[in-house]
Amino acid sequence: MAQKDTSTKKPNIFVRMGRKLKETFSELKRVTWPTFPKVVKATCVVLVVVLAFLVVVTGINYGLQALLEVLTNIGQ
């Protein structure tokens, strides 16, 4: 019987998870984090865009609802 070659065997799951965590933290040290004013500015931009879309979608919804009421009241 031939013996299995143990040199190509994968390390166990905990060793692999530890290596992955180590790599992740070393990558996070290289990240350039934004300053607080940039974060506030980006957050404001996102909120303004979301509110603009809210207004547009609400207007379309109201218009389609009015159109549906006109179409359903034609025969009366």
Side-chain angles (χ1 to χ4, degrees), residues 6-7 12-13 16 18-22 24 35 40 42 45 47 51 53-54 58 60 64-65 74-75:
T6 58
S7 63
N12 72 25
I13 184 104
R16 287 184 284 158
R19 286 181 189 162
K20 191 65 174 174
L21 276 173
K22 221 172 165 182
T24 302
T35 62
V40 170
V45 168
L47 289 176
L51 287 174
F53 273 99
L54 176 70
T58 302
I60 290 171
L64 290 175
Q65 182 180 2
I74 287 178

Side-chain angles (χ1 to χ4, degrees), residues 16-63:
R16 287 184 284 158
M17 285 173 45
R19 286 181 189 162
K20 191 65 174 174
L21 276 173
K22 221 172 165 182
E23 291 173 11
T24 302
F25 282 114
S26 70
E27 284 293 324
L28 282 174
K29 289 178 184 174
R30 297 183 207 158
V31 172
T32 305
W33 297 101
T35 62
F36 185 73
K38 285 184 180 180
V39 171
V40 170
K41 185 177 178 182
T43 303
C44 290
V45 168
V46 168
L47 289 176
V48 167
V49 169
V50 167
L51 287 174
F53 273 99
L54 176 70
V55 169
V56 168
V57 170
T58 302
I60 290 171
N61 186 30
Y62 179 74

